[in-house]
Amino acid sequence: MVSNVYSKSYINTSVSQSAQSDIILNTRLIPALEASVSPSRAPHGIDVHSLFCAVAMDFISAYCFGIRHSSNFIEDKSHREHWLKLYTTRKGYGFFAQELPRLSKALQYLGVSLTPRWVHATNRELEAWCKELSDAAIQGLRKSGLSLNSADDPVVVRTLLAGYEKEKDMHGQDSPVHSTTILNPELSVASEVFDHILAGQETTGVALTYLSHHLSQSLDLQKDLRKELLSLQPNMVLNYGRMAMPGPQQLHRLPKLHAMVLETVRRYAPAGGPEPRVAPFPACRIGPYEVPGGTRISASAYNLHRDEQTYPSSEQWDHTRWLGDKEAAYKQFWGFSSGGRMCLGSNFAMHDMKLTIAAIYSNFTSYIVDDRGIEQTDMYTGHPKSNSLHLRYERILDL
Ligand code: HEM
């Protein structure tokens, strides 16, 4: 129902997405970086991991709910920190609900919880927050009709509701989702969009953090990237405090920017953990193996991305491995998975990561202030151990 609005061609031509990016970058991110430039106001630099998780959340929630009803985590630091704390503290407690859902539910019915009770309370708070934004976006649509082509357009919510209506018209009570989605459209929208919000926030934040960490270690790399960014027409250099938004096609044609983002998702696969699947009955062949139906198997981006034959010196971050014709490297790239359950938001993520990096490095130079704990955790969504990275930015004025 909704994959169309996450396609490359839709994102590239979406006036709403472009208007939302303009607001997020020009009125929120750039002022946040400007504020960090002065050592007296930000003696320890700025924690970019927290900031990039905020940028990612503002991008994806604006696309889902429209800018008016979305988060403003970049500016609202206290709400952002509260939200991130809830999100990260409950992160390690997904095992029983995910792997033993029936047993978990049955025991819960008997008053026994396999997961600490505060985790349930935290999940409920996050869900309620998402439901509130989702309901507001739906109300907004119902009141004002479809606000297409503007920053307020809740692209994803609007598309889901239209999909539910179509399903209702075509299949009515025979629809397999009649008793769930069609009878409860508001709850269904909130539930679906909650997946997008959670899947699109930390992953994107992690990638932006590691890419900025690499860029901040080399002024030459930053210069090289900036040279490429200046070829955009219009480019993203601030002009009287504002920058122009480049055409997305142009942005995606920049080979170095593309290579740097891709290499970061390879080396630091933000969703690098196992992706389990169940082999279909009666059996299936996977490479040299005959796998009996019902067997649970998995692969992970972390491992595939460390295949030395395809990615020599695989532990090393080296964006040049993506420059030129690199068919084998692309074939084995699994940062967004593949097949029917691959990442729904891969094009969106590539787009918002490129836009964010382009906005920053067209205008600023970055330096590391404190990168202790930057090593990636061994979790499904591997984040820096310290959950932070402190950088200092300097405005480039000699352009
Ligand atoms: C750098 C950023 C991102 C990375 C590395 C990433 C990675 C992944 C991976 C590896 C999967 C596959 C899981 C599997 O095979 O079972 C996945 C699924 C998914 N992703 Fe992303 N993702 C990113 C950003 C986003 C964004 C921005 C969205 C926003 C819509 C999103 C939405 C989803 C959803 C909804 C799924 C589940 C798809 C399904 O099961 O049908 N992701 N992501």
Side-chain angles (χ1 to χ4, degrees):
M1 276 182 195
V2 82
S3 59
N4 169 45
V5 297
Y6 284 110
S7 68
K8 205 186 253 180
S9 55
Y10 193 99
I11 293 166
N12 280 354
T13 51
S14 168
V15 176
S16 310
Q17 209 283 330
S18 175
Q20 290 162 1
S21 305
D22 193 334
I23 293 172
I24 292 166
L25 296 176
N26 269 312
T27 70
R28 299 181 191 172
L29 180 63
I30 293 298
L33 296 183
E34 297 270 23
S36 82
V37 162
S38 142
S40 59
R41 283 173 70 187
H44 306 294
I46 183 169
D47 176 5
V48 294
H49 185 56
S50 168
L51 181 67
F52 289 146
C53 286
V55 170
M57 176 59 96
D58 287 1
F59 265 113
I60 186 63
S61 70
Y63 200 54
C64 290
F65 305 126
I67 203 99
R68 191 185 313 178
H69 300 296
S70 63
S71 67
N72 183 353
F73 278 10
I74 299 177
E75 291 184 317
D76 190 348
K77 207 165 166 234
S78 67
H79 186 205
R80 176 214 308 176
E81 278 171 1
H82 173 70
W83 195 99
L84 287 176
K85 196 166 168 217
L86 293 181
Y87 173 80
T88 43
T89 48
R90 53 159 275 298
K91 214 175 114 178
Y93 293 93
F95 179 83
F96 290 111
Q98 184 173 317
E99 302 298 329
L100 299 165
R102 283 198 204 118
L103 179 68
S104 296
K105 268 206 176 136
L107 288 176
Q108 213 171 324
Y109 188 70
L110 299 172
V112 180
S113 180
L114 294 173
T115 307
R117 286 182 198 285
W118 63 263
V119 175
H120 300 297
T122 306
N123 285 335
R124 295 301 87 79
E125 186 176 336
L126 293 172
E127 285 166 9
W129 168 80
C130 180
K131 178 83 168 50
E132 202 178 306
L133 299 186
S134 181
D135 284 350
I138 294 173
Q139 287 304 320
L141 267 178
R142 289 187 177 146
K143 257 194 229 147
S144 64
L146 296 181
S147 53
L148 283 167
N149 296 337
S150 82
D152 284 333
D153 180 11
V155 177
V156 177
V157 166
R158 175 171 56 74
T159 309
L160 281 168
L161 287 175
Y164 299 168
E165 278 302 308
K166 195 169 162 200
E167 177 70 18
K168 189 165 93 182
D169 290 348
M170 281 172 70
H171 303 290
Q173 294 199 352
D174 296 333
S175 166
V177 294
H178 182 262
S179 64
T180 51
T181 303
I182 291 174
L183 291 185
N184 298 290
E186 286 89 359
L187 196 55
S188 293
V189 168
S191 170
E192 175 65 37
V193 168
F194 196 35
D195 279 355
H196 303 199
I197 300 275
L198 294 184
Q201 180 259 335
E202 193 188 13
T203 45
T204 308
V206 164
L208 287 170
T209 298
Y210 282 112
L211 177 48
S212 300
H213 186 238
H214 275 282
L215 283 162
S216 305
Q217 290 169 58
S218 164
L219 287 178
D220 285 344
L221 198 62
Q222 293 187 44
K223 268 193 197 140
D224 206 23
L225 174 62
R226 189 170 306 113
K227 199 168 156 205
E228 185 178 79
L229 294 173
L230 292 181
S231 71
L232 287 168
Q233 285 181 341
N235 66 36
M236 295 178 82
V237 175
L238 287 162
N239 190 2
Y240 293 102
R242 278 195 83 79
M243 66 188 142
M245 289 298 110
Q249 276 104 334
Q250 269 199 56
L251 196 67
H252 295 300
R253 265 188 234 121
L254 299 180
K256 286 181 187 159
L257 178 63
H258 182 71
M260 287 181 195
V261 173
L262 214 57
E263 176 63 353
T264 307
V265 178
R266 181 200 70 82
R267 170 60 182 79
Y268 298 97
E275 308 289 10
R277 304 287 191 265
V278 177
F281 283 99
C284 70
R285 178 156 286 279
I286 296 177
Y289 305 105
E290 176 81 5
V291 182
T295 310
R296 187 164 132 151
I297 55 170
S298 76
S300 78
Y302 179 94
N303 288 318
L304 287 165
H305 292 175
R306 275 163 182 74
D307 174 3
E308 284 290 320
Q309 273 189 356
T310 314
Y311 307 110
S313 306
S314 63
E315 281 295 320
Q316 222 163 345
W317 184 96
D318 175 9
H319 72 288
T320 62
R321 66 174 90 239
W322 297 99
L323 297 174
D325 180 20
K326 296 289 152 73
E327 202 184 322
Y330 274 101
K331 238 178 164 176
Q332 195 151 315
F333 176 76
W334 218 50
F336 298 105
S337 184
S338 58
R341 311 250 27 140
M342 81 168 279
C343 179
L344 176 70
S346 61
N347 298 310
F348 189 88
M350 286 302 284
H351 182 67
D352 68 7
M353 289 188 288
K354 285 182 180 178
L355 211 46
T356 304
I357 291 295
I360 297 174
Y361 288 95
S362 295
N363 297 290
F364 296 88
T365 307
S366 66
Y367 303 88
I368 296 173
V369 175
D370 186 353
D371 64 353
R372 280 172 295 173
I374 191 67
E375 312 78 50
Q376 200 169 16
T377 50
D378 178 12
M379 294 185 88
Y380 178 80
T381 316
H383 55 81
K385 275 192 179 132
S386 59
N387 250 324
S388 66
L389 168 65
H390 287 260
L391 299 184
R392 179 172 66 80
Y393 289 91
E394 246 171 40
R395 251 311 280 287
I396 301 167
L397 296 168
D398 59 342
L399 291 165

